[in-house]
Amino acid sequence: MQARNLIDLADMSRGDLEEIIRLAGMIRQNPAIFTDACHGKIMATLFYEPSTRTQMSFQTAMLRLGGKVIGFDDPSNASVAKGESLKDTIRVVSGYADLIVMRNPVEGSALAASLYSKSPIVNAGDGGHLHPTQTLTDLVTLWYEKGTLEGLTIGLCGDMKNGRTVHSLVKTLSKYKGNRFVMISTPQLQMPPYILEILQENGCAYSFADSLESAIADLDVLYMTRIQQERFASAEEYEAQKGVFVLDEAKMRLAKSDLVVLHPLPRVDEITVGVDEDPRAKYFEQAEYGMYARMALIITMLQSRRDAVPETPRWDDARCCQNPRCVTNTEPYVPHRFYEKGGKAVCRYCDSPLDA
Amino acid sequence: MQARNLIDLADMSRGDLEEIIRLAGMIRQNPAIFTDACHGKIMATLFYEPSTRTQMSFQTAMLRLGGKVIGFDDPSNASVAKGESLKDTIRVVSGYADLIVMRNPVEGSALAASLYSKSPIVNAGDGGHLHPTQTLTDLVTLWYEKGTLEGLTIGLCGDMKNGRTVHSLVKTLSKYKGNRFVMISTPQLQMPPYILEILQENGCAYSFADSLESAIADLDVLYMTRIQQERFASAEEYEAQKGVFVLDEAKMRLAKSDLVVLHPLPRVDEITVGVDEDPRAKYFEQAEYGMYARMALIITMLQSRRDAVPETPRWDDARCCQNPRCVTNTEPYVPHRFYEKGGKAVCRYCDSPLDA
Amino acid sequence: MQARNLIDLADMSRGDLEEIIRLAGMIRQNPAIFTDACHGKIMATLFYEPSTRTQMSFQTAMLRLGGKVIGFDDPSNASVAKGESLKDTIRVVSGYADLIVMRNPVEGSALAASLYSKSPIVNAGDGGHLHPTQTLTDLVTLWYEKGTLEGLTIGLCGDMKNGRTVHSLVKTLSKYKGNRFVMISTPQLQMPPYILEILQENGCAYSFADSLESAIADLDVLYMTRIQQERFASAEEYEAQKGVFVLDEAKMRLAKSDLVVLHPLPRVDEITVGVDEDPRAKYFEQAEYGMYARMALIITMLQSRRDAVPETPRWDDARCCQNPRCVTNTEPYVPHRFYEKGGKAVCRYCDSPLDA
């Protein structure tokens, strides 16, 4: 892999991505070969907001490679967080660890951290902005459960508006040929226009459905996500509609025999427990693929060349990003950087357009 | 060992138990031989309520075997706990870990977890119900400090009513021949009738005493436990009686020269600090035996056959267990299962009788 | 090393100290040689108050040596802390771990712990009393960045009154010949008289300065520390003076080309971010030297002879230390011990004089 860090999956070439997917499969087939692959290496997991599931997946991945793990899972009582800048923490921890996995509620914080780190940075979630290893997990699962990333009819059900991992998955799959998307949701929770534009640019077919029942028969893949009750316009609407977006055994009977059902977990009640024993339900396997995906990523990052990689053209600017959740507003020493998109300056950290 | 999981020490055959006790002794004699016995293996410690001491004992045991540890110690801020069912957590974590050690305040939760786990489950405490590795610790300590589990006069002092570990110890020792029990406590805190019935069934002699001073001279083993002030009928009674249940140097002078004093720890003030230097005080050694017992258990569990073991006869039932602390009431998808005892249906998870 | 424990850096001979410094340098040069130096060993980090930075440094050090780590970082929800004495915790944990690193807000607690431990104790901070591994870190950094611990002109800037690590550094460096000290601070935050007495006893020159600008040109080393706003006599004074104690690029231009700038971190705003890129800024390297210093210390402690070392003369006494933060007041079973200094009895645990 050429990239020094994994901030955004979009920074990774298709070749790099497939190399990691293949390595993940090799590890899954022969885990014993990799038992000491990272012997003597240290990974830091810096979780500025708790996410036991993601942190446990990364930690297990490193431990299964024979490496060691340091870090914190909640900086509320950590001296590391007491009035200390992100830069100082990263400078110190990158002197301890060979690889830093970071989760932080501030958008763009992983990219900002990479400016100051002596060790590669993996973005394990920067607020609502990016979460590339979830998408990597989804791709590894599809590759091994469907045998391909092309020519698939993919249903997406639930909250498409607020789901960063669904956006990232759709963007990545839109670059593979022959994929069709069916968005199954309420009008309020539909895919944002910029994603639909990407689908059009890449020549992907897509359609909308207002119930699982009407859409499920055509699908090769069904990607379920949580719909939070508070996302509905009213409690009445929630009560009226929730059933049509819940996957149960009856709806599974309408589906293809080789359907693959995915869910990023944790689920609440959008998939009934009865579906779990259906061999087409792959969401628990998906979590396990996530561990293998992270093992492959860690090996790749620790071998990556340490020199700079050509970046997309961007410039420093005196102007400030106006997104209040952007790292340039919480860490004032970070240089303001922008790139051009559709004639607009866009913040390099949080990808928000700079209003004129 | 035949059993796939360790939920209840009563599930373990006497042969299996003694195999683990012997292995614990081998490890204690030659710890260096076992430094890499679990190399490449992962143990998850899922502690839904904090118990630093138990968790640290398990973690040390695994680390001393060359294995690795993941887990959480308090799920209050853990995404793993956010509205997620026990089943989902166990399905995911058993994809990461080769062995799961679980502590949970809900009775029967370890057994319920074992229904969904791909990896063996060790019960590290399910509410006030079972805590088999504490009993295992006690048995290993007795075996090596007394040289036998038979023919012992065993004093039990303190709160016998509420102490699950004392109940489990008495039940197990009652199966070894020639043991006598002396219960030293207030009437309010005496052993529950069902334990006394077990002693009678197994032909064990037992007697009661109302002070340590009157009972200590006959004992081969003295098992001390905490009496919490609030367990007494009144503050006056507590003040009047607490002295007669405190072990001090004066009382130790009345005891046999080969007495063994045990305590599950932490102690509060039921043993004075002056007793600590007495060579008959073995409660700190007991904690260390606990580490060796857990090392032996971990090795055994990781080698156990993964296929099902004949279970005690039990049946599924539409009726619900009425114990509000039972896992079937907090995790609604768990199948309701009962076994027969004394003509009554008893819940397979929490061992509470189902009232007609 | 002769010492069984590291409670106070003053207990270590100059020979022992330099042996550790040299070992730290060897590890830094050839870290791969030490990857398995502590294979099979367990270190416990018992942090009764959180200090993520110190704990992470110790943990990384042990993990980089191939050892394992157990412990807790905040005993608020830990059963280990529930009414349990320090003695009991230490007795149990020293049965699990080969080395105990302990941080505790109670003064003298590390020394008290060492009375009951089967394993060596490293003091990682006992309240405002001692923090020897920070001083060790500073000495390792100076040794390798200046090439000597002698003949240096050392500026100390910030809060000299309340900084235990600065006191310890000055005491140690005063034993090396030819060192001069320049104290740069407000009158309210100056070095306490007993430190100045030590400097006089050891024949060290020292002077005072009221601004960085006036003092910086002469310095070989500048040791910066935090000044907390609340330490100033008034908000007005803080506003008036804070600028003169902030190190910035302009002041760096007045300094020698081989100045070394140190800071124990975390910094707040006493060094501007612009200084970070100056090659004379060594505070991030200092954190890394701290990891190597702790690696050298751990190796040395695990090899140390387990038998007692001649102690400074001291006696047991019925009288109590009157320092309310002293461990003899929180752990009543600890023997009261004093030594003689300047005709006064001084508490062996917290070094407070016993008032007549």
PDB file of all heavy atoms in Angstrom, chain A residues 56 64 284 288 291, chain B residues 4 44 46 70 87-100 113 116-121 306:
ATOM      1  N   MET A  56     -12.637  -3.166  20.535  1.00  0.00           N
ATOM      2  CA  MET A  56     -12.381  -4.585  20.769  1.00  0.00           C
ATOM      3  C   MET A  56     -11.981  -5.287  19.470  1.00  0.00           C
ATOM      4  O   MET A  56     -11.116  -6.163  19.463  1.00  0.00           O
ATOM      5  CB  MET A  56     -13.641  -5.226  21.364  1.00  0.00           C
ATOM      6  CG  MET A  56     -13.369  -6.458  22.193  1.00  0.00           C
ATOM      7  SD  MET A  56     -14.906  -7.226  22.775  1.00  0.00           S
ATOM      8  CE  MET A  56     -15.146  -6.397  24.327  1.00  0.00           C
ATOM      9  N   ARG A  64      -4.152 -10.918  17.877  1.00  0.00           N
ATOM     10  CA  ARG A  64      -4.088 -12.161  17.088  1.00  0.00           C
ATOM     11  C   ARG A  64      -2.878 -12.172  16.150  1.00  0.00           C
ATOM     12  O   ARG A  64      -2.528 -13.219  15.605  1.00  0.00           O
ATOM     13  CB  ARG A  64      -5.363 -12.350  16.266  1.00  0.00           C
ATOM     14  CG  ARG A  64      -6.548 -12.811  17.102  1.00  0.00           C
ATOM     15  CD  ARG A  64      -7.566 -13.604  16.282  1.00  0.00           C
ATOM     16  NE  ARG A  64      -8.587 -14.178  17.152  1.00  0.00           N
ATOM     17  CZ  ARG A  64      -8.444 -15.321  17.812  1.00  0.00           C
ATOM     18  NH1 ARG A  64      -7.353 -16.051  17.675  1.00  0.00           N
ATOM     19  NH2 ARG A  64      -9.405 -15.759  18.595  1.00  0.00           N
ATOM     20  N   PHE A 284     -23.457 -11.631  11.845  1.00  0.00           N
ATOM     21  CA  PHE A 284     -22.467 -12.001  12.863  1.00  0.00           C
ATOM     22  C   PHE A 284     -21.138 -12.385  12.194  1.00  0.00           C
ATOM     23  O   PHE A 284     -20.071 -12.042  12.671  1.00  0.00           O
ATOM     24  CB  PHE A 284     -22.990 -13.134  13.758  1.00  0.00           C
ATOM     25  CG  PHE A 284     -24.187 -12.711  14.590  1.00  0.00           C
ATOM     26  CD1 PHE A 284     -25.396 -13.391  14.489  1.00  0.00           C
ATOM     27  CD2 PHE A 284     -24.107 -11.643  15.455  1.00  0.00           C
ATOM     28  CE1 PHE A 284     -26.496 -13.008  15.250  1.00  0.00           C
ATOM     29  CE2 PHE A 284     -25.200 -11.251  16.224  1.00  0.00           C
ATOM     30  CZ  PHE A 284     -26.397 -11.939  16.105  1.00  0.00           C
ATOM     31  N   GLU A 288     -17.030 -10.822  12.303  1.00  0.00           N
ATOM     32  CA  GLU A 288     -15.797 -11.615  12.296  1.00  0.00           C
ATOM     33  C   GLU A 288     -14.920 -11.234  11.092  1.00  0.00           C
ATOM     34  O   GLU A 288     -13.703 -11.125  11.223  1.00  0.00           O
ATOM     35  CB  GLU A 288     -16.162 -13.102  12.261  1.00  0.00           C
ATOM     36  CG  GLU A 288     -15.098 -13.983  12.844  1.00  0.00           C
ATOM     37  CD  GLU A 288     -15.598 -15.420  13.056  1.00  0.00           C
ATOM     38  OE1 GLU A 288     -16.817 -15.605  13.318  1.00  0.00           O
ATOM     39  OE2 GLU A 288     -14.780 -16.342  12.946  1.00  0.00           O
ATOM     40  N   MET A 291     -12.844  -8.322  11.914  1.00  0.00           N
ATOM     41  CA  MET A 291     -11.585  -8.610  12.614  1.00  0.00           C
ATOM     42  C   MET A 291     -10.492  -8.977  11.617  1.00  0.00           C
ATOM     43  O   MET A 291      -9.367  -8.477  11.698  1.00  0.00           O
ATOM     44  CB  MET A 291     -11.813  -9.744  13.607  1.00  0.00           C
ATOM     45  CG  MET A 291     -10.573 -10.174  14.343  1.00  0.00           C
ATOM     46  SD  MET A 291     -10.918 -11.562  15.470  1.00  0.00           S
ATOM     47  CE  MET A 291     -11.074 -12.932  14.303  1.00  0.00           C
TER      48      MET A 291
ATOM     49  N   ARG B   4     -18.217 -28.519  27.997  1.00  0.00           N
ATOM     50  CA  ARG B   4     -17.815 -27.471  27.089  1.00  0.00           C
ATOM     51  C   ARG B   4     -17.685 -26.135  27.814  1.00  0.00           C
ATOM     52  O   ARG B   4     -16.874 -25.287  27.454  1.00  0.00           O
ATOM     53  CB  ARG B   4     -18.907 -27.385  26.032  1.00  0.00           C
ATOM     54  CG  ARG B   4     -18.761 -26.285  25.051  1.00  0.00           C
ATOM     55  CD  ARG B   4     -19.870 -26.422  24.019  1.00  0.00           C
ATOM     56  NE  ARG B   4     -20.146 -25.150  23.396  1.00  0.00           N
ATOM     57  CZ  ARG B   4     -19.269 -24.441  22.699  1.00  0.00           C
ATOM     58  NH1 ARG B   4     -18.042 -24.885  22.552  1.00  0.00           N
ATOM     59  NH2 ARG B   4     -19.595 -23.278  22.167  1.00  0.00           N
ATOM     60  N   ALA B  44     -11.735 -13.454  26.330  1.00  0.00           N
ATOM     61  CA  ALA B  44     -12.502 -12.225  26.582  1.00  0.00           C
ATOM     62  C   ALA B  44     -13.030 -12.257  28.018  1.00  0.00           C
ATOM     63  O   ALA B  44     -13.593 -13.269  28.442  1.00  0.00           O
ATOM     64  CB  ALA B  44     -13.659 -12.106  25.604  1.00  0.00           C
ATOM     65  N   LEU B  46     -15.804 -10.489  29.932  1.00  0.00           N
ATOM     66  CA  LEU B  46     -16.968  -9.607  29.797  1.00  0.00           C
ATOM     67  C   LEU B  46     -17.551  -9.402  31.189  1.00  0.00           C
ATOM     68  O   LEU B  46     -18.285 -10.252  31.689  1.00  0.00           O
ATOM     69  CB  LEU B  46     -17.999 -10.224  28.854  1.00  0.00           C
ATOM     70  CG  LEU B  46     -17.491 -10.640  27.464  1.00  0.00           C
ATOM     71  CD1 LEU B  46     -18.663 -11.083  26.588  1.00  0.00           C
ATOM     72  CD2 LEU B  46     -16.742  -9.508  26.792  1.00  0.00           C
ATOM     73  N   ILE B  70      -8.892  -9.655  25.960  1.00  0.00           N
ATOM     74  CA  ILE B  70      -9.691  -8.494  25.578  1.00  0.00           C
ATOM     75  C   ILE B  70     -10.864  -8.418  26.552  1.00  0.00           C
ATOM     76  O   ILE B  70     -11.042  -9.301  27.391  1.00  0.00           O
ATOM     77  CB  ILE B  70     -10.217  -8.585  24.131  1.00  0.00           C
ATOM     78  CG1 ILE B  70     -11.084  -9.851  23.940  1.00  0.00           C
ATOM     79  CG2 ILE B  70      -9.073  -8.565  23.139  1.00  0.00           C
ATOM     80  CD1 ILE B  70     -11.847  -9.884  22.626  1.00  0.00           C
ATOM     81  N   LYS B  87     -27.368 -12.114  23.641  1.00  0.00           N
ATOM     82  CA  LYS B  87     -27.102 -13.018  22.530  1.00  0.00           C
ATOM     83  C   LYS B  87     -26.201 -12.382  21.472  1.00  0.00           C
ATOM     84  O   LYS B  87     -25.231 -12.982  21.024  1.00  0.00           O
ATOM     85  CB  LYS B  87     -28.430 -13.421  21.875  1.00  0.00           C
ATOM     86  CG  LYS B  87     -28.278 -14.256  20.625  1.00  0.00           C
ATOM     87  CD  LYS B  87     -29.619 -14.479  19.947  1.00  0.00           C
ATOM     88  CE  LYS B  87     -29.437 -15.308  18.678  1.00  0.00           C
ATOM     89  NZ  LYS B  87     -30.711 -15.573  18.012  1.00  0.00           N
ATOM     90  N   ASP B  88     -26.519 -11.158  21.057  1.00  0.00           N
ATOM     91  CA  ASP B  88     -25.740 -10.507  20.007  1.00  0.00           C
ATOM     92  C   ASP B  88     -24.305 -10.263  20.471  1.00  0.00           C
ATOM     93  O   ASP B  88     -23.348 -10.478  19.717  1.00  0.00           O
ATOM     94  CB  ASP B  88     -26.395  -9.178  19.589  1.00  0.00           C
ATOM     95  CG  ASP B  88     -27.615  -9.380  18.695  1.00  0.00           C
ATOM     96  OD1 ASP B  88     -28.121 -10.516  18.619  1.00  0.00           O
ATOM     97  OD2 ASP B  88     -28.065  -8.399  18.073  1.00  0.00           O
ATOM     98  N   THR B  89     -24.156  -9.787  21.701  1.00  0.00           N
ATOM     99  CA  THR B  89     -22.805  -9.556  22.213  1.00  0.00           C
ATOM    100  C   THR B  89     -21.999 -10.856  22.203  1.00  0.00           C
ATOM    101  O   THR B  89     -20.844 -10.883  21.772  1.00  0.00           O
ATOM    102  CB  THR B  89     -22.863  -8.992  23.645  1.00  0.00           C
ATOM    103  OG1 THR B  89     -23.603  -7.767  23.624  1.00  0.00           O
ATOM    104  CG2 THR B  89     -21.476  -8.724  24.194  1.00  0.00           C
ATOM    105  N   ILE B  90     -22.639 -11.925  22.667  1.00  0.00           N
ATOM    106  CA  ILE B  90     -21.929 -13.210  22.753  1.00  0.00           C
ATOM    107  C   ILE B  90     -21.605 -13.745  21.360  1.00  0.00           C
ATOM    108  O   ILE B  90     -20.510 -14.255  21.119  1.00  0.00           O
ATOM    109  CB  ILE B  90     -22.782 -14.216  23.560  1.00  0.00           C
ATOM    110  CG1 ILE B  90     -22.870 -13.784  25.023  1.00  0.00           C
ATOM    111  CG2 ILE B  90     -22.251 -15.638  23.421  1.00  0.00           C
ATOM    112  CD1 ILE B  90     -21.554 -13.813  25.779  1.00  0.00           C
ATOM    113  N   ARG B  91     -22.542 -13.586  20.423  1.00  0.00           N
ATOM    114  CA  ARG B  91     -22.269 -14.049  19.058  1.00  0.00           C
ATOM    115  C   ARG B  91     -21.051 -13.332  18.473  1.00  0.00           C
ATOM    116  O   ARG B  91     -20.203 -13.932  17.821  1.00  0.00           O
ATOM    117  CB  ARG B  91     -23.494 -13.828  18.148  1.00  0.00           C
ATOM    118  CG  ARG B  91     -24.616 -14.824  18.374  1.00  0.00           C
ATOM    119  CD  ARG B  91     -24.287 -16.233  17.889  1.00  0.00           C
ATOM    120  NE  ARG B  91     -24.166 -16.324  16.453  1.00  0.00           N
ATOM    121  CZ  ARG B  91     -25.138 -16.687  15.629  1.00  0.00           C
ATOM    122  NH1 ARG B  91     -26.308 -17.031  16.102  1.00  0.00           N
ATOM    123  NH2 ARG B  91     -24.930 -16.744  14.339  1.00  0.00           N
ATOM    124  N   VAL B  92     -20.993 -12.016  18.687  1.00  0.00           N
ATOM    125  CA  VAL B  92     -19.883 -11.242  18.131  1.00  0.00           C
ATOM    126  C   VAL B  92     -18.571 -11.580  18.852  1.00  0.00           C
ATOM    127  O   VAL B  92     -17.560 -11.887  18.225  1.00  0.00           O
ATOM    128  CB  VAL B  92     -20.175  -9.728  18.207  1.00  0.00           C
ATOM    129  CG1 VAL B  92     -18.934  -8.920  17.850  1.00  0.00           C
ATOM    130  CG2 VAL B  92     -21.321  -9.370  17.263  1.00  0.00           C
ATOM    131  N   VAL B  93     -18.599 -11.538  20.184  1.00  0.00           N
ATOM    132  CA  VAL B  93     -17.352 -11.733  20.938  1.00  0.00           C
ATOM    133  C   VAL B  93     -16.824 -13.155  20.777  1.00  0.00           C
ATOM    134  O   VAL B  93     -15.620 -13.372  20.737  1.00  0.00           O
ATOM    135  CB  VAL B  93     -17.542 -11.357  22.412  1.00  0.00           C
ATOM    136  CG1 VAL B  93     -16.307 -11.692  23.228  1.00  0.00           C
ATOM    137  CG2 VAL B  93     -17.871  -9.881  22.536  1.00  0.00           C
ATOM    138  N   SER B  94     -17.726 -14.130  20.643  1.00  0.00           N
ATOM    139  CA  SER B  94     -17.232 -15.498  20.462  1.00  0.00           C
ATOM    140  C   SER B  94     -16.648 -15.689  19.058  1.00  0.00           C
ATOM    141  O   SER B  94     -15.991 -16.707  18.802  1.00  0.00           O
ATOM    142  CB  SER B  94     -18.328 -16.527  20.771  1.00  0.00           C
ATOM    143  OG  SER B  94     -19.336 -16.521  19.795  1.00  0.00           O
ATOM    144  N   GLY B  95     -16.854 -14.732  18.168  1.00  0.00           N
ATOM    145  CA  GLY B  95     -16.120 -14.721  16.899  1.00  0.00           C
ATOM    146  C   GLY B  95     -14.715 -14.150  17.047  1.00  0.00           C
ATOM    147  O   GLY B  95     -13.864 -14.348  16.192  1.00  0.00           O
ATOM    148  N   TYR B  96     -14.478 -13.415  18.120  1.00  0.00           N
ATOM    149  CA  TYR B  96     -13.158 -12.818  18.371  1.00  0.00           C
ATOM    150  C   TYR B  96     -12.300 -13.700  19.277  1.00  0.00           C
ATOM    151  O   TYR B  96     -11.099 -13.773  19.114  1.00  0.00           O
ATOM    152  CB  TYR B  96     -13.293 -11.466  19.091  1.00  0.00           C
ATOM    153  CG  TYR B  96     -13.973 -10.348  18.338  1.00  0.00           C
ATOM    154  CD1 TYR B  96     -14.384  -9.197  19.011  1.00  0.00           C
ATOM    155  CD2 TYR B  96     -14.172 -10.400  16.957  1.00  0.00           C
ATOM    156  CE1 TYR B  96     -14.984  -8.149  18.342  1.00  0.00           C
ATOM    157  CE2 TYR B  96     -14.784  -9.351  16.285  1.00  0.00           C
ATOM    158  CZ  TYR B  96     -15.191  -8.223  16.987  1.00  0.00           C
ATOM    159  OH  TYR B  96     -15.786  -7.179  16.337  1.00  0.00           O
ATOM    160  N   ALA B  97     -12.948 -14.282  20.306  1.00  0.00           N
ATOM    161  CA  ALA B  97     -12.192 -14.880  21.414  1.00  0.00           C
ATOM    162  C   ALA B  97     -12.348 -16.399  21.438  1.00  0.00           C
ATOM    163  O   ALA B  97     -13.389 -16.930  21.064  1.00  0.00           O
ATOM    164  CB  ALA B  97     -12.665 -14.303  22.739  1.00  0.00           C
ATOM    165  N   ASP B  98     -11.330 -17.078  21.930  1.00  0.00           N
ATOM    166  CA  ASP B  98     -11.350 -18.536  22.024  1.00  0.00           C
ATOM    167  C   ASP B  98     -12.021 -19.016  23.310  1.00  0.00           C
ATOM    168  O   ASP B  98     -12.341 -20.203  23.435  1.00  0.00           O
ATOM    169  CB  ASP B  98      -9.909 -19.055  21.982  1.00  0.00           C
ATOM    170  CG  ASP B  98      -9.187 -18.605  20.733  1.00  0.00           C
ATOM    171  OD1 ASP B  98      -9.555 -19.093  19.650  1.00  0.00           O
ATOM    172  OD2 ASP B  98      -8.304 -17.738  20.815  1.00  0.00           O
ATOM    173  N   LEU B  99     -12.219 -18.098  24.265  1.00  0.00           N
ATOM    174  CA  LEU B  99     -12.786 -18.434  25.565  1.00  0.00           C
ATOM    175  C   LEU B  99     -13.418 -17.159  26.112  1.00  0.00           C
ATOM    176  O   LEU B  99     -12.840 -16.083  25.969  1.00  0.00           O
ATOM    177  CB  LEU B  99     -11.661 -18.904  26.496  1.00  0.00           C
ATOM    178  CG  LEU B  99     -12.024 -19.282  27.932  1.00  0.00           C
ATOM    179  CD1 LEU B  99     -12.880 -20.547  27.933  1.00  0.00           C
ATOM    180  CD2 LEU B  99     -10.749 -19.523  28.752  1.00  0.00           C
ATOM    181  N   ILE B 100     -14.605 -17.285  26.711  1.00  0.00           N
ATOM    182  CA  ILE B 100     -15.270 -16.107  27.274  1.00  0.00           C
ATOM    183  C   ILE B 100     -15.473 -16.322  28.767  1.00  0.00           C
ATOM    184  O   ILE B 100     -16.049 -17.325  29.181  1.00  0.00           O
ATOM    185  CB  ILE B 100     -16.629 -15.850  26.587  1.00  0.00           C
ATOM    186  CG1 ILE B 100     -16.409 -15.469  25.117  1.00  0.00           C
ATOM    187  CG2 ILE B 100     -17.411 -14.752  27.314  1.00  0.00           C
ATOM    188  CD1 ILE B 100     -17.683 -15.225  24.330  1.00  0.00           C
ATOM    189  N   ALA B 113     -25.948 -17.411  27.953  1.00  0.00           N
ATOM    190  CA  ALA B 113     -24.889 -17.039  27.002  1.00  0.00           C
ATOM    191  C   ALA B 113     -24.323 -18.270  26.305  1.00  0.00           C
ATOM    192  O   ALA B 113     -24.026 -18.242  25.106  1.00  0.00           O
ATOM    193  CB  ALA B 113     -23.777 -16.280  27.725  1.00  0.00           C
ATOM    194  N   TYR B 116     -25.569 -19.498  22.881  1.00  0.00           N
ATOM    195  CA  TYR B 116     -25.318 -18.739  21.656  1.00  0.00           C
ATOM    196  C   TYR B 116     -23.842 -18.603  21.321  1.00  0.00           C
ATOM    197  O   TYR B 116     -23.488 -17.986  20.330  1.00  0.00           O
ATOM    198  CB  TYR B 116     -25.954 -17.353  21.779  1.00  0.00           C
ATOM    199  CG  TYR B 116     -27.409 -17.443  22.170  1.00  0.00           C
ATOM    200  CD1 TYR B 116     -27.842 -17.125  23.448  1.00  0.00           C
ATOM    201  CD2 TYR B 116     -28.348 -17.928  21.253  1.00  0.00           C
ATOM    202  CE1 TYR B 116     -29.176 -17.253  23.820  1.00  0.00           C
ATOM    203  CE2 TYR B 116     -29.680 -18.072  21.606  1.00  0.00           C
ATOM    204  CZ  TYR B 116     -30.082 -17.735  22.885  1.00  0.00           C
ATOM    205  OH  TYR B 116     -31.399 -17.881  23.231  1.00  0.00           O
ATOM    206  N   SER B 117     -22.968 -19.161  22.169  1.00  0.00           N
ATOM    207  CA  SER B 117     -21.544 -18.900  22.026  1.00  0.00           C
ATOM    208  C   SER B 117     -20.855 -19.957  21.181  1.00  0.00           C
ATOM    209  O   SER B 117     -21.119 -21.153  21.308  1.00  0.00           O
ATOM    210  CB  SER B 117     -20.892 -18.874  23.412  1.00  0.00           C
ATOM    211  OG  SER B 117     -19.510 -18.596  23.282  1.00  0.00           O
ATOM    212  N   LYS B 118     -19.947 -19.522  20.323  1.00  0.00           N
ATOM    213  CA  LYS B 118     -19.091 -20.437  19.575  1.00  0.00           C
ATOM    214  C   LYS B 118     -17.896 -20.881  20.417  1.00  0.00           C
ATOM    215  O   LYS B 118     -17.206 -21.819  20.056  1.00  0.00           O
ATOM    216  CB  LYS B 118     -18.573 -19.739  18.314  1.00  0.00           C
ATOM    217  CG  LYS B 118     -19.653 -19.383  17.309  1.00  0.00           C
ATOM    218  CD  LYS B 118     -19.175 -18.366  16.288  1.00  0.00           C
ATOM    219  CE  LYS B 118     -18.070 -18.906  15.389  1.00  0.00           C
ATOM    220  NZ  LYS B 118     -17.615 -17.869  14.430  1.00  0.00           N
ATOM    221  N   SER B 119     -17.622 -20.169  21.500  1.00  0.00           N
ATOM    222  CA  SER B 119     -16.468 -20.471  22.359  1.00  0.00           C
ATOM    223  C   SER B 119     -16.966 -20.888  23.740  1.00  0.00           C
ATOM    224  O   SER B 119     -18.061 -20.510  24.145  1.00  0.00           O
ATOM    225  CB  SER B 119     -15.589 -19.222  22.504  1.00  0.00           C
ATOM    226  OG  SER B 119     -15.185 -18.754  21.240  1.00  0.00           O
ATOM    227  N   PRO B 120     -16.152 -21.644  24.488  1.00  0.00           N
ATOM    228  CA  PRO B 120     -16.575 -22.028  25.841  1.00  0.00           C
ATOM    229  C   PRO B 120     -16.805 -20.805  26.733  1.00  0.00           C
ATOM    230  O   PRO B 120     -16.120 -19.794  26.600  1.00  0.00           O
ATOM    231  CB  PRO B 120     -15.386 -22.850  26.366  1.00  0.00           C
ATOM    232  CG  PRO B 120     -14.596 -23.256  25.169  1.00  0.00           C
ATOM    233  CD  PRO B 120     -14.834 -22.209  24.131  1.00  0.00           C
ATOM    234  N   ILE B 121     -17.760 -20.937  27.631  1.00  0.00           N
ATOM    235  CA  ILE B 121     -18.111 -19.874  28.589  1.00  0.00           C
ATOM    236  C   ILE B 121     -17.692 -20.315  29.991  1.00  0.00           C
ATOM    237  O   ILE B 121     -17.998 -21.435  30.403  1.00  0.00           O
ATOM    238  CB  ILE B 121     -19.635 -19.628  28.599  1.00  0.00           C
ATOM    239  CG1 ILE B 121     -20.153 -19.182  27.222  1.00  0.00           C
ATOM    240  CG2 ILE B 121     -20.023 -18.644  29.700  1.00  0.00           C
ATOM    241  CD1 ILE B 121     -20.080 -17.712  26.942  1.00  0.00           C
ATOM    242  N   ARG B 306     -15.502 -29.888  21.652  1.00  0.00           N
ATOM    243  CA  ARG B 306     -16.494 -28.873  21.369  1.00  0.00           C
ATOM    244  C   ARG B 306     -17.895 -29.436  21.175  1.00  0.00           C
ATOM    245  O   ARG B 306     -18.832 -28.708  20.950  1.00  0.00           O
ATOM    246  CB  ARG B 306     -16.110 -28.074  20.109  1.00  0.00           C
ATOM    247  CG  ARG B 306     -14.884 -27.196  20.277  1.00  0.00           C
ATOM    248  CD  ARG B 306     -15.205 -26.038  21.213  1.00  0.00           C
ATOM    249  NE  ARG B 306     -14.045 -25.182  21.394  1.00  0.00           N
ATOM    250  CZ  ARG B 306     -13.914 -23.992  20.856  1.00  0.00           C
ATOM    251  NH1 ARG B 306     -14.858 -23.488  20.109  1.00  0.00           N
ATOM    252  NH2 ARG B 306     -12.837 -23.266  21.079  1.00  0.00           N
TER     253      ARG B 306
END
